[in-house]
Amino acid sequence: MTARPARLRNATLDALPAAVARPAYDRDRTSIGIVHLGAGAFHRAHQAAYLDELLAVDPDWAICAVSLHSTAVRDALRPQDGLYTLVRIGERETLRVIGAIRELLCARDEGAAVLARLANPDTRLVTLTVTEKGYCLGADGLDFDHPDIAHDLATPDAPRSAIGYVVAGLARRRAAGIAPYTVLSCDNLADNGGRLRRAALQYAERVEPGLAQWIEAEVAFPRSMVDSITPATDDALRARVTAQLGCTDAWPVQREPYMQWVVEDRFCNGRPPLERAGVTLSGDIAGHDRAKLRLLNAPHSALAYLGSLMGIETVADAMRAPALAAFVETLMRADIAPNLAAPAGFDARTYIDAILARFRNPAIRHLLSQIAWDGSQKLPVRLLGTIADALAAGRPIDRLCLPVAGWLRFVVRQARAGTALVDPLDEPLTAIGRAATGEARRDVDAFLALDAVFAPLSADPRFVDALRAAYAALGDAGPAAIAAALERATQGARR
Ligand code: CS2
């Protein structure tokens, strides 16, 4: 009988093979200084890896990782004392066990513990990766009709949303005379800190105007830009990790070698020495966040929708499809970069070259279906801003509309196939998709009525015409029609 391999945890750390890196500090001597909301793979592959390095320098910044809804991460990692493996997929794969997470909570069934942790004076920083939809934003800031926000405003001491927790924690600190924490958004939103701040203030105002004033005066909401490609964990990764560790890890994570974090240096209650781990601290990061969203995330979404329609599964495979790869490169160089107000010293050509090389990395199996999630939240931040800027400058938008049309065609295809969309607007999108006839004017106009996505652009006839034309150009949205449309669009740029 073979014994079951042991589980990764503090007691098994010393027995790991020498090739596996592990925390270079005594975990027992660290204390929790950060509460992180959104304990998904991106946080664990990115921020927690930076903090894992910093804990050797300053032990006060260990993490309490909170999942707002799902119990899965807590249940996987609590029996592992918060330890998990980060696999860095480069030319050679390297494994490192991360020890920065000292506590795991699920807010859904441990809300009181989350609030207590937020109110703890040792907590001086709250960070978030709750994805675009986790901010419950509408066109004018916080969406008061969002069911989670309505719920939280009815019971502010027992919240459900990220905003509800951030503000409830601050309210407790104010009441107890404890200095507030800094609130740092690490999501892919332009001006993420500013948007979070405005949403928190709008929410707090309804809870208690005095609280909103206190937050406005005392709390810092720095902006940040995060970047590292982190494909979701799959069984192949779990199996490789277990084989190399000699013990099981219920939830390892993976990322590409590249990793970047730019943070506005505006904290109200101290900060970890982030620069010591390679984080760029800057006075003003505006521009960096936009450049990344527009030149990395927008092309990613373009690959996701157009590639999925072409029957392609991964980013690297999409970059091997000549028509699609050439189109996306042209989109970046000829359409997105010229419309970007670049940060000082920013060299678009080098930045684009590096992104294309990262997309081509054949060692990374990054599923287009993962990137295709939440299109209604992602496209406005990634692509529609470029289109608005191009229109304002009187520049062409034809090519820029093709990925948007690709999303619409993708929604139609999923709806017709009866495949559920992962998107907070799945219901209206699926209804429009089911009713679609293939006729461009009719279908596009039905989508354009979704104000949460398309306002105010939908009022501009130039955009409406270009989107209808792009939708029509994709023909029956089969692989051949898409490739032909992309080739025509790319050639248009070369002429
Ligand atoms: C991707 C991003 O899933 C997506 O939508 O575009 O997660 C992307 O991989 C990261 O932002 C890279 O930093």
Side-chain angles (χ1 to χ4, degrees):
M1 204 178 88
T2 47
R4 271 191 354 155
R7 185 88 175 255
L8 175 65
R9 55 195 162 83
N10 281 337
T12 49
L13 265 183
D14 286 345
L16 294 177
V20 178
R22 68 207 75 185
Y25 50 90
D26 180 353
R27 293 189 84 212
D28 289 336
R29 297 175 69 124
T30 64
S31 61
I32 292 175
I34 301 177
V35 173
H36 180 77
L37 304 181
F42 185 79
H43 166 71
R44 286 184 284 133
H46 183 266
Q47 182 185 331
Y50 282 102
L51 267 307
D52 196 54
E53 251 181 83
L54 288 181
L55 286 171
V57 181
D58 183 343
D60 290 346
W61 299 98
I63 301 169
C64 163
V66 177
S67 305
L68 288 172
H69 306 291
S70 161
T71 55
V73 174
R74 177 199 65 193
D75 293 350
L77 299 192
R78 199 181 267 170
Q80 299 184 178
D81 302 317
L83 295 170
Y84 61 92
T85 314
L86 170 60
V87 181
R88 200 169 150 277
I89 311 173
E91 273 168 33
R92 213 169 48 81
E93 202 165 89
T94 58
L95 272 65
R96 168 169 162 201
V97 172
I98 303 289
I101 297 181
R102 292 294 312 274
E103 180 175 60
L104 288 129
L105 297 171
C106 173
R108 207 181 63 195
D109 53 17
E110 295 166 309
V114 175
L115 289 172
R117 187 50 83 186
L118 287 169
N120 188 316
D122 287 347
T123 300
R124 290 188 284 151
L125 176 60
V126 171
T127 53
L128 296 91
T129 50
V130 292
T131 79
E132 298 85 345
K133 64 182 170 224
Y135 292 84
C136 307
L137 297 173
D140 319 305
L142 192 64
D143 175 7
F144 285 103
D145 293 331
H146 193 291
D148 288 354
I149 297 300
H151 167 276
D152 290 2
L153 281 172
T155 54
D157 296 330
R160 199 188 265 168
S161 71
I163 305 282
Y165 271 103
V166 164
V167 174
L170 288 169
R172 288 196 173 200
R173 296 174 81 102
R174 174 172 173 249
I178 301 168
Y181 38 70
T182 300
V183 189
L184 176 60
S185 165
C186 300
D187 277 295
N188 285 322
L189 290 170
D191 186 19
N192 50 12
R195 298 181 80 172
L196 174 56
R197 176 171 182 274
R198 284 190 292 279
L201 289 174
Q202 285 179 298
Y203 176 89
E205 183 69 35
R206 298 243 181 139
V207 176
E208 195 215 318
L211 175 62
Q213 280 160 19
W214 183 76
I215 294 175
E216 187 160 26
E218 306 289 336
V219 183
F221 292 83
R223 286 190 269 205
S224 79
M225 184 272 263
V226 294
D227 190 8
S228 189
I229 290 173
T230 49
T233 301
D234 54 19
D235 287 342
L237 184 77
R238 284 197 178 85
R240 270 180 2 250
V241 166
T242 298
Q244 291 182 55
L245 291 185
C247 61
T248 57
D249 178 349
W251 206 329
V253 293
Q254 56 182 335
R255 68 162 168 83
E256 64 175 337
Y258 183 88
M259 148 158 117
Q260 192 183 21
W261 194 10
V262 185
V263 180
E264 225 166 41
D265 196 359
R266 215 152 38 78
F267 289 72
C268 59
N269 194 349
R271 66 162 171 82
L274 294 165
E275 64 280 16
R276 305 270 303 260
V279 177
T280 307
L281 285 145
S282 160
D284 176 10
I285 73 143
H288 287 280
D289 52 353
R290 209 177 320 110
K292 190 256 170 172
L293 284 163
R294 292 185 174 195
L295 283 170
L296 187 149
N297 294 111
H300 241 179
S301 292
L303 291 170
Y305 299 120
L306 297 165
S308 296
L309 291 169
M310 293 170 83
I312 299 170
E313 259 189 85
T314 69
V315 174
D317 286 347
M319 294 301 290
R320 278 196 286 266
L324 183 51
F327 170 78
V328 165
E329 180 166 354
T330 303
L331 191 73
M332 293 164 80
R333 296 194 196 279
D335 298 291
I336 300 177
N339 285 299
L340 182 73
F346 179 83
D347 177 2
R349 181 183 298 212
T350 315
Y351 192 65
I352 292 172
D353 288 346
I355 289 169
L356 289 168
R358 290 165 65 195
F359 285 180
R360 286 189 202 108
N361 184 349
I364 302 228
R365 210 179 129 65
H366 195 186
L367 293 178
L368 296 179
S369 57
Q370 182 187 338
I371 302 166
W373 285 10
D374 293 342
S376 71
Q377 310 288 304
K378 290 176 175 175
L379 284 188
V381 232
R382 297 178 174 200
L383 203 50
L384 301 186
T386 297
I387 294 180
D389 288 350
L391 285 172
R395 297 204 185 92
I397 59 164
D398 308 326
R399 251 188 317 269
L400 288 163
C401 283
L402 274 168
V404 184
W407 175 54
L408 306 188
R409 290 282 191 182
F410 172 83
V411 169
V412 172
R413 193 191 67 176
Q414 303 295 94
R416 284 191 181 147
T419 312
L421 282 176
V422 181
D423 196 298
L425 293 190
D426 59 338
E427 281 178 22
L429 285 170
T430 302
I432 297 170
R434 276 212 199 102
T437 61
E439 201 266 306
R441 176 182 289 262
R442 204 200 147 278
D443 293 358
V444 168
D445 291 4
F447 282 110
L448 285 176
L450 292 170
D451 280 346
V453 183
F454 289 112
L457 263 184
S458 45
D460 190 320
R462 294 171 297 171
F463 174 63
V464 177
D465 286 348
L467 187 58
R468 285 179 188 155
Y471 188 87
L474 296 180
D476 66 1
I482 304 270
L486 298 180
E487 271 162 16
R488 280 196 306 275
T490 309
Q491 276 153 17
R494 296 216 183 99
R495 272 205 300 272

